[in-house]
Amino acid sequence: MIESELHFPVKTKALKEDPYIIEASEAQRVALAERFSLSEIKSLRAEVMLTPKGGHIAAEGSLKADWLQPCAVSGEDFPVSVQDTIDIRFIPAAPPPSVVSADEEIELDVDDFDEIEFSGDTFDLGEAIAQTFGLAIDPYATGPRADTARKEKGIVTEGEQNGPLAEMLAALKKD
């Protein structure tokens, strides 16, 4: 297994009652920015409570981050901030099924998507935070100069097309 840029191992048998605070160092932010194709991560901080619940460990808390991201249209960096909730379950890895048919359907519950399996008695809370951060990034986000860049490059938005084909389409829509 590859070690996470934000590695923060937690032992399941030694959970503390206080929140876990994970604040990415400069080196970790640089590595995560490279991983997620961001120009710079200015800050990344999570505060998480870990609570044993039955056969899993619930992780609930908040994530706050600020970064610079290239605009999907102009390529120019613009600032982005996020404050998000964390709601994850760490579950012990299930043994692989002995035989699985290619035609067999597997039903997933909506809560199954917020589960992270772990082996042994330790899980990586930092990697879970990194993945939560990654999901908060909009890969197609546009910055303040996106409209100007579209006009300069001749990119039009829906409904602004000109030319003979646009006129034919407009005539069809009138009927």
Side-chain angles (χ1 to χ4, degrees):
M1 183 174 156
I2 298 172
E3 191 170 295
S4 171
E5 301 87 348
L6 195 59
H7 187 59
F8 193 96
V10 176
K11 293 223 177 262
T12 58
K13 296 186 188 316
L15 297 178
K16 63 181 187 173
E17 292 185 17
D18 297 326
Y20 289 79
I21 308 291
I22 298 176
E23 194 150 0
S25 69
E26 183 176 351
Q28 290 169 325
R29 293 191 316 268
V30 167
L32 286 167
E34 185 175 326
R35 174 178 172 180
F36 294 117
S37 301
L38 299 173
S39 302
E40 178 185 359
I41 299 174
K42 295 183 174 286
S43 66
L44 174 60
R45 184 178 194 277
E47 188 171 320
V48 183
M49 289 295 299
L50 297 176
T51 311
K53 291 188 177 179
H56 69 274
I57 297 168
E60 297 171 326
S62 61
L63 168 77
K64 186 174 182 183
D66 297 294
W67 67 90
L68 289 177
Q69 175 174 347
C71 172
V73 177
S74 70
E76 293 177 331
D77 287 342
F78 68 99
V80 181
S81 294
V82 72
Q83 257 188 296
D84 209 352
T85 58
I86 297 170
D87 188 5
I88 302 169
R89 288 190 311 244
F90 291 96
I91 60 170
S98 55
V99 178
V100 176
S101 165
D103 297 329
E104 184 177 345
E105 286 187 28
I106 299 172
E107 286 191 37
L108 296 175
D109 191 359
V110 71
D111 293 333
D112 291 339
F113 298 105
D114 296 330
E115 293 180 346
I116 298 176
E117 290 187 344
F118 67 94
S119 298
D121 66 347
T122 305
F123 59 90
D124 191 347
L125 181 58
E127 176 55 21
I129 300 303
Q131 289 178 21
T132 301
F133 172 67
L135 291 171
I137 300 167
D138 179 356
Y140 303 107
T142 56
R145 283 196 17 87
D147 288 338
T148 303
R150 281 186 188 100
K151 287 178 184 171
E152 289 171 356
K153 295 177 182 181
I155 301 171
V156 294
T157 58
E158 186 66 34
E160 293 181 359
Q161 295 86 352
N162 294 322
L165 292 177
E167 290 171 12
M168 287 174 41
L169 181 60
L172 290 173
K173 288 183 179 179
K174 288 180 183 177
D175 293 335

